[in-house]
Amino acid sequence: DKGAGYVRAQIQSKYNIVSFHATGLGDRAVEDLVGQGLFDGFIDLVPANYGEYLLGGNRASAPDRLEAACKRGIPYILLPCGFDMLSCGPIERKDKNDPLWTSRKLAERTLFIQDAMRVQARTSAEELATIAKAVAEKLNKHTNKSLVKFIIPMKGFSSLSVEGGQLYAPEIDRVFVSTLRENLDPEIETIEVDAHINTPEFGQAAA
């Protein structure tokens, strides 16, 4: 929320802004409305549910996530927020041979347990590479690639993966960055910011 607030503060005097929460319904709604041509640009702060579509997770999106702005050819600014975790609660799934927990061996990972219902598992380097390749494939289909920017907060993709955070693992996050760069069309700019996502510095870069 802080990161989104910093972005809004920078651009709200110039643009009419509509915010959507990245909780499933919001993601589907914004993709639909962007696809209808109702927006001139899309800042996609939390595309985490596309990662969970690929890997499994409570926030999994529809397969066409990340496609609307690419098809419309409008400015599209993305961040990797949420790719650093899988939403896998409630915690009781851990002891019930749950398919997600067993297939991805989540019980062996670093977990952030906010409460019994809200549980986040740290994504692995291999999983982040999978996400990065799939994201690049989507973005490479944009009809005007010079309008696509992928902005990377090098000191943390979310509040949980900053230094001191429960899911802090910068060496894993760097796998996403390198894989994304290897697979993105050269016309698509990646911008690295020496800050974490919930800072004014990063909000300024996104704006």
Side-chain angles (χ1 to χ4, degrees):
D1 287 347
K2 278 187 178 180
Y6 291 134
V7 176
R8 280 195 299 268
Q10 293 287 333
I11 64 176
Q12 60 191 1
S13 64
K14 298 179 182 178
Y15 301 98
N16 295 319
I17 302 169
V18 180
S19 298
F20 295 81
H21 288 284
T23 54
L25 284 176
D27 293 278
R28 289 193 290 274
V30 72
E31 283 284 333
D32 183 50
L33 296 175
V34 168
Q36 292 181 41
L38 299 183
F39 294 102
D40 296 321
F42 183 12
I43 301 177
D44 202 344
L45 289 172
V46 188
N49 63 351
Y50 181 61
E52 296 198 4
Y53 160 73
L54 296 169
L55 304 175
N58 295 345
R59 297 175 295 186
S61 69
D64 61 355
R65 183 75 169 91
L66 310 186
E67 292 181 8
C70 296
K71 290 178 179 177
R72 298 293 306 183
I74 63 172
Y76 193 18
I77 298 167
L78 294 95
L79 292 71
C81 182
F83 290 155
D84 48 352
M85 67 187 81
L86 290 177
S87 181
C88 56
I91 191 62
E92 65 188 35
R93 292 168 68 182
K94 179 170 72 76
D95 302 314
K96 293 187 174 181
N97 291 318
D98 179 86
L100 176 63
W101 279 78
T102 55
S103 65
R104 298 212 168 269
K105 300 180 180 178
L106 299 186
E108 300 174 14
R109 304 194 189 192
T110 301
L111 301 175
F112 172 63
I113 304 174
Q114 188 169 352
D115 54 43
M117 292 301 295
R118 292 177 290 180
V119 181
Q120 314 296 332
R122 174 71 221 201
T123 40
S124 69
E126 181 181 12
E127 288 167 347
L128 280 185
T130 296
I131 295 171
K133 289 175 184 176
V135 168
E137 184 177 351
K138 294 268 191 180
L139 300 184
N140 288 345
K141 295 177 181 177
H142 196 287
T143 57
N144 187 346
K145 297 175 184 62
S146 65
L147 298 181
V148 183
K149 312 292 179 189
F150 203 105
I151 309 179
I152 303 166
M154 297 301 290
K155 291 187 176 179
F157 292 0
S158 72
S159 60
L160 297 181
S161 58
V162 299
E163 187 172 4
Q166 293 87 342
L167 303 183
Y168 180 63
E171 69 286 353
I172 295 179
D173 293 339
R174 284 194 289 270
V175 171
F176 176 86
V177 177
S178 61
T179 307
L180 183 73
R181 285 186 175 279
E182 289 168 7
N183 288 273
L184 268 182
D185 188 292
E187 287 188 58
I188 297 176
E189 185 180 9
T190 56
I191 302 168
E192 296 181 6
V193 181
D194 189 29
H196 65 74
I197 195 167
N198 291 315
T199 60
E201 294 84 356
F202 191 79
Q204 176 68 48

